């Protein structure tokens, strides 16, 4: 998967499948557990992409912006620090999820908010990168995976939002 733009999505997809199998085996609730996963994933991605920045991998395309950087392997060319863009986006997603949590109405909502937010960001950010080859027209595998992730998140959102068994009980506030 290296060089194909799927290392992050590959980790999320495989984790999702193995979580489903494990939770089913243990008889534990899937969507409420995935909400916990979705709350932590963006913060983990913040630090993972900072690691990419320090390592000099996953950088963007050549640009002449004042904050462009030179990394090993760019042959002296100044490129978008796309790792920092993604780190910042994931921090914003993390903070947004923390603020939205009090509005959660059903299990799975937080995970799907994370997945759709990340997919929208990654789709746009992928245009600033040139390390992933185009697969279809100008779209990379990460573009296509983002579109599929967003479509699946939207369909699952509609299904879970209408499923009464997935409703989060209202919290009782102490007056």
């Amino acid at each position: 998967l290296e060089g194909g733009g799927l290392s992050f999505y590959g980790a999320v997809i495989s984790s999702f499948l193995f979580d489903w199998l494990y939770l089913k085996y243990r008889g534990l609730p899937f969507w409420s557990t995935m909400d916990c996963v979705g709350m932590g994933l963006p913060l983990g991605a913040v630090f993972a992409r900072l690691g990419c920045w320090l390592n000099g991998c996953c950088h963007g395309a050549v640009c002449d912006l004042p904050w462009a950087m030179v990394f090993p392997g760019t042959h002296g060319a100044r490129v978008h620090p796309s790792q920092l863009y993604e780190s910042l986006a994931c921090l914003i997603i993390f903070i947004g999820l923390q603020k939205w949590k009090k509005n959660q109405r059903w299990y799975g909502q937080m995970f799907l908010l994370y997945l759709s937010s990340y997919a929208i960001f990654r789709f746009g950010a992928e245009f600033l990168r040139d390390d992933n080859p185009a697969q279809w027209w100008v779209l990379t595998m990460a573009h296509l995976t983002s579109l599929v992730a967003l479509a699946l998140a939207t369909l699952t959102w509609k299904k879970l939002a209408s499923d009464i068994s997935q409703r989060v009980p209202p919290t009782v506030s102490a007056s």
Side-chain angles (χ1 to χ4, degrees):
L1 294 177
E2 187 176 327
L6 277 183
S7 59
F8 180 78
Y9 275 128
V12 172
I13 292 165
S14 62
S15 173
F16 186 86
L17 293 174
F18 287 113
D19 289 346
W20 179 78
L21 289 171
Y22 178 77
L23 294 169
K24 185 172 178 71
Y25 172 74
R26 299 292 296 190
L28 298 170
F30 180 73
W31 286 111
S32 60
T33 303
M34 292 310 291
D35 281 337
C36 294
V37 170
M39 296 296 283
L41 267 174
L43 192 56
V46 167
F47 293 104
R49 289 307 182 185
L50 287 176
C52 292
W53 177 67
L54 291 171
N55 191 45
C57 62
C58 308
H59 54 75
V62 173
C63 73
D64 59 0
L65 296 170
W67 57 85
M69 298 180 171
V70 176
F71 293 100
T74 63
H75 308 292
R78 295 168 44 85
V79 297
H80 283 283
S82 58
Q83 321 92 319
L84 297 181
Y85 302 161
E86 186 163 346
S87 187
L88 179 60
C90 287
L91 181 60
I92 291 167
I93 292 169
F94 176 76
I95 292 168
L97 289 174
Q98 300 306 311
K99 291 185 178 292
W100 182 262
K101 179 73 175 145
K102 66 180 178 269
N103 298 313
Q104 182 179 11
R105 300 288 180 248
W106 38 270
Y107 296 116
Q109 189 174 26
M110 302 312 296
F111 178 77
L112 295 172
L113 275 173
Y114 163 70
L115 184 62
S116 56
S117 299
Y118 180 80
I120 290 166
F121 164 76
R122 181 64 187 262
F123 184 86
E126 192 67 13
F127 287 110
L128 301 177
R129 294 177 61 167
D130 69 351
D131 57 338
N132 298 325
Q135 301 293 317
W136 182 71
W137 191 45
V138 297
L139 301 180
T140 66
M141 187 59 74
H143 279 123
L144 299 172
T145 306
S146 293
L147 292 173
V148 170
L150 186 57
L152 289 174
T154 302
L155 292 172
T156 306
W157 180 286
K158 290 180 180 183
K159 181 182 183 308
L160 291 177
S162 64
D163 185 349
I164 193 88
S165 71
Q166 295 300 326
R167 296 290 159 100
V168 173
T171 57
V172 178
S173 60
S175 305

